[in-house]
Amino acid sequence: MLLVLCMISVSAMAAQTGNEIMPRYTYISDIATGLSISSAGKATCSTSVTLYNTTHDCRIDMVLQRDDGTGWDDVKSWTITDDGRNIDIEEIWYVVPGYDYQVESTMYVYNANDRLIETTTTTSPI
């Protein structure tokens, strides 16, 4: 009994030490949204979605955004729709130095009848 009590308290402590909490989705298995900017200003924007079911379609709306000091403005956007388990989009855009940038992507999952069954939005690190 003491061993079980110790294991429970260790698990509770681990949850409080900054472990990242990930949302659970019904149809989306994994999402990764990223942004890298070279010293020459070449921004590589990417989003990768993995679905549980290969019969679903996924549309990704990916937007490169810039913080102008009063909020995030859209710089460039791309859209891709694909079926299958893994859907990836990677695009390049040249940016102006001196601003913060991020990528915001919204995923829309559709079933075989083209009915929207799940949607979520993720944002890359700045």
Side-chain angles (χ1 to χ4, degrees):
M1 183 67 153
L2 183 59
L3 179 61
V4 171
L5 184 58
C6 290
M7 290 174 60
I8 291 171
S9 63
V10 168
S11 297
M13 289 173 55
Q16 296 174 2
T17 60
N19 290 346
E20 186 175 346
I21 297 173
M22 298 297 293
R24 289 192 172 192
Y25 302 106
T26 304
Y27 302 100
I28 298 172
S29 168
D30 189 41
I31 301 169
T33 300
L35 171 64
S36 64
I37 302 175
S38 73
S39 59
K42 179 181 175 182
T44 303
C45 311
S46 63
T47 300
S48 176
V49 178
T50 303
L51 302 177
Y52 287 114
N53 191 327
T54 60
T55 62
H56 294 143
D57 290 345
C58 182
R59 184 180 93 210
I60 302 171
D61 293 340
M62 183 172 70
V63 182
L64 174 63
Q65 298 177 324
R66 176 178 67 198
D67 185 359
D68 66 359
T70 62
W72 293 100
D73 288 333
D74 294 353
V75 174
K76 179 68 178 168
S77 64
W78 302 271
T79 298
I80 184 174
T81 302
D82 205 349
D83 59 359
R85 188 157 193 267
N86 298 305
I87 297 95
D88 301 307
I89 181 172
E90 182 175 288
E91 298 291 344
I92 294 172
W93 193 257
Y94 284 87
V95 296
V96 177
Y99 295 94
D100 287 335
Y101 293 88
Q102 69 180 17
V103 171
E104 182 179 89
S105 292
T106 303
M107 283 65 63
Y108 304 90
V109 180
Y110 298 89
N111 66 11
N113 297 322
D114 290 330
R115 189 177 131 238
L116 180 64
I117 54 177
E118 188 164 69
T119 184
T120 189
T121 300
T122 62
T123 305
S124 73
I126 296 171

